[in-house]
Amino acid sequence: MQRIRLRYTKRGRLRFTSHRDFQRAFERALRRAEVPMAYSAGFTPHPKVSYANAAPTGVGSEAEFLEIALSEACDPEKLRVLLDESLPAGLDVTDAVEARTSGLAERLQASVWELRLEGVEPAEAEKAVALFLAADAVEVERMTKNGVRVFDARGAVRRLEVVDPQVDTASGDTVEQGADRPVAGACAILRLVVRHLTPAVRPDDVLSGLRVTADLAPPVPVGVTRLAQGPLDEETGTVTDPLAPDRDAVTVPEDSA
């Protein structure tokens, strides 16, 4: 049985699809592409698909991950193309590798988020970010199925900064991938790196923290896009590619063992 790990996106209007909606669309794509899936045992067999840390509904993403199990070997790139063609535009399969290592879910230690605060001047956002980062703890509230929960939104934040709306601070390249709407008028762009802890701290929680510490309240809904997720380099605060270990793994020939 071969396992393939895929990276996919949620872009444009497709960011409003729920995780369950994506599951249905992906299973249809598997059938349409005639992927030789491995199935679970039992009275109601289902294709073996493992989803990892899906983004919330309404949030865009450039870095969602899943793993599928196949009953026969396939070329990962050919499979990627077939699945990408079988999914609606916006749900795009951008990478595929054969799983040669274990623990993909454990590698998803942190996420990089872009927050687009339209109607907010960058200078105002910089002051709010400084106040948030200076706090030892920032308590926020979130409504859960068990009622209101209070927790610290500051501890999980590894990095938070205001960036140029056109330039990626990591590579210096022009940024278009996170922009579902063009920048017009005042617009502050925040880059957030947050650790995956329990309870999970989401971009909405950080926005609530900015409101608590600096009374920052954007006049329109904030556009949120996940740019990356994967292993966290604590020294630099960067998030690296979780599929890199599979690409780098070297298969040892059986006769050399």
Side-chain angles (χ1 to χ4, degrees), residues 123-183:
E124 180 185 2
E126 287 177 354
K127 292 178 182 177
V129 166
L131 289 171
F132 179 91
L133 294 177
D136 294 328
V138 179
E139 289 191 343
V140 299
E141 295 181 350
R142 183 197 300 164
M143 179 61 71
T144 70
K145 61 182 180 181
N146 296 319
V148 176
R149 182 172 187 176
V150 179
F151 59 97
D152 175 30
R154 173 65 184 88
V157 175
R158 175 60 181 80
R159 193 171 73 196
L160 178 61
E161 58 188 342
V162 180
V163 300
D164 187 296
Q166 301 301 326
V167 177
D168 185 318
T169 54
S171 65
D173 295 334
T174 299
V175 175
E176 296 179 354
Q177 60 185 8
D180 285 330
R181 298 186 300 270
V183 177

Side-chain angles (χ1 to χ4, degrees), residues 2-10 14 17-39 46-52 54 64-70 76 78-97:
Q2 184 188 36
R3 293 179 297 127
I4 301 292
R5 288 169 176 165
L6 303 171
R7 174 173 172 163
Y8 67 95
T9 71
K10 287 174 60 181
L14 271 298
T17 56
S18 68
H19 181 55
R20 182 58 187 150
D21 290 336
F22 173 77
Q23 287 179 311
R24 287 193 288 262
F26 185 69
E27 289 181 9
R28 285 197 298 269
L30 290 172
R31 293 191 294 270
R32 191 174 297 122
E34 299 182 344
V35 177
M37 292 296 298
Y39 282 78
H46 59 273
K48 290 187 175 181
V49 183
S50 299
Y51 300 90
E64 301 297 287
F65 294 92
L66 60 82
E67 180 177 299
I68 60 177
L70 307 181
K78 291 181 180 178
L79 179 64
R80 184 199 70 77
V81 172
L82 284 172
L83 286 172
D84 188 50
E85 292 174 345
S86 301
L87 284 165
L91 299 178
D92 305 317
V93 183
T94 58
D95 202 355
V97 299

